[in-house]
Amino acid sequence: MSFDTIIVGGGIAGLLTGAILAKNGQKILLLEKSSMLGGRSNSIEYKKGYIVDFGIHLIRYSTKSSIYKIFKKQLGEKLDIINCGDIKLFQDGAFHDFPLSMRGLASTDIFNDEEKKAFGPILVDILKLKVNDYLDVSVPDYIKELEDKHGKLSQPIKDFLVVVANLMCVSTKTEMLSSGEFVDGIKTGSKAPSGTSYPRGGWKAIIERLIEIIKENGEIRTKSKVDSVKIENNEIRGVNVGSEFIEANTVILAIPSKSIFDLIPESNFSPEFVKMTENIIPTVGVFMDFGLKEKISDHDGTILTRKPFTMSVFASNLDEKIVPEGEQIYTIFQPTELDVISDKEKIKQVKDNLMNILNEMYPDFSNKIIWHRTSAGIVDGAVPFITQHRNLRPKVKSEIEGLYFAGDSYGVPGTGGEIAHTSALFCAKAIFEDRTKLELLT
């Protein structure tokens, strides 16, 4: 059997790209080395009746998100999502409305009346900002620029801007975060009916549908590790899987950029590409999932803390079918540095601290736990630092003819998981454009 395109990697980026191409008539072969598809975006039945995601996987920007647009425009389907409620900030022993809109600004109590009046013009400036002009500008430098224009900002306003940057970029290394990337998130979110949404039935439902679409016009093989990609005269020829050679003139590597050279020698790429690819720092952190024996909160939006920065959600308040009746799932996540996730003692320190926060937010929390699990690892492929923003990461189209990339470490707009979704769209469009050019030439 011959294929138009081979996709290496069955994570969310590979599945989305494969579904777009398959829906547009391409014969697809998707190869995944593990037994499970969906990668970090998948959800599992961790305990009987509990459908658990890998960390917090909300859909940013609701109907304005890349994944919603892909389903609607490229796949011709409506993605079934549940809009989340407002964001809350827990500080000083209480929950506060977290203002990401003019409406939220009016209702919040984290600012006094004078600060609310001062913040209005700042929010207007943020929404008018030209993103590309500020990709190389760090968040602290942008805050200084705002102070030069609007006068000295109060500590609550500066703290708020930092937390928004941490939230949008999923990182607490504020001094390195790109203000252009975080402002782009605010601008996109301001146009959405909800800041975040959750797929009905969990991410498992999305992944299962993408698999069905690909199989309608192609094939998926799990436990199929690609050993190498064959290239002749700077053109793709196919892939080697064990003793089998599979021919195709288009290959998509839907894998982390640092893994490219496991399949293709560095000598096939420019020194600039190699340097750009090897230096990407991923988003990492520690998250804890809890199965609770009774409902302890009705809140259906994200919950934040500032010191330390954490984000958390009761996913079962959005879709009660993912838990046994009367029970609840709660997930909390704290971004960390790379050295933390490889050190058991440091992970334990984070875990103990998170438990202290939870018992402060919800007294007697520990006594409501049926089960819990703690995990530490990579959450997203690239933190949007000023040193690795969208213009400083590898593009989805390679310098090798017929080779493309998709995933959350490539150079497309977005932050967090949105990068992977957007990369699928950019990758598919690049392939369509190149195919059209080729047809015109022949």
Side-chain angles (χ1 to χ4, degrees), residues 166-181:
N166 297 157
L167 173 64
M168 291 295 177
C169 300
V170 199
S171 172
T172 55
K173 205 164 185 179
T174 310
E175 71 278 9
M176 289 294 294
L177 296 179
S178 164
S179 57
E181 295 285 17

Side-chain angles (χ1 to χ4, degrees), residues 224-236:
S224 295
K225 183 179 181 296
V226 173
D227 297 307
S228 63
V229 177
K230 186 176 180 180
I231 299 168
E232 289 181 355
N233 300 319
N234 204 46
E235 294 181 354
I236 290 293

Side-chain angles (χ1 to χ4, degrees), residues 141-166:
D141 285 345
Y142 179 54
I143 291 175
K144 288 178 185 176
E145 185 176 316
L146 288 173
E147 289 193 302
D148 290 341
K149 181 175 181 179
H150 297 278
K152 185 172 178 59
L153 304 181
S154 70
Q155 195 60 48
I157 289 179
K158 289 195 281 190
D159 289 343
F160 170 76
L161 291 171
V162 169
V163 173
V164 174
N166 297 157

Side-chain angles (χ1 to χ4, degrees), residues 120-158:
I122 292 172
L123 184 56
V124 171
D125 274 3
I126 288 173
L127 295 175
K128 289 181 179 179
L129 195 76
K130 292 183 179 179
V131 171
N132 284 333
D133 292 345
Y134 282 80
L135 291 173
D136 296 312
V137 178
S138 71
V139 169
D141 285 345
Y142 179 54
I143 291 175
K144 288 178 185 176
E145 185 176 316
L146 288 173
E147 289 193 302
D148 290 341
K149 181 175 181 179
H150 297 278
K152 185 172 178 59
L153 304 181
S154 70
Q155 195 60 48
I157 289 179
K158 289 195 281 190

Side-chain angles (χ1 to χ4, degrees), residues 171-173 175 281 284-285 335-342 385:
S171 172
T172 55
K173 205 164 185 179
E175 71 278 9
I281 300 170
V284 299
T336 67
E337 299 294 322
L338 273 168
D339 66 302
V340 172
I341 65 171
S342 58
F385 289 151

Side-chain angles (χ1 to χ4, degrees), residues 182-198:
F182 110 82
V183 165
D184 193 31
I186 294 176
K187 289 160 72 80
T188 305
S190 69
K191 302 171 187 174
S194 174
T196 53
S197 300
Y198 188 73

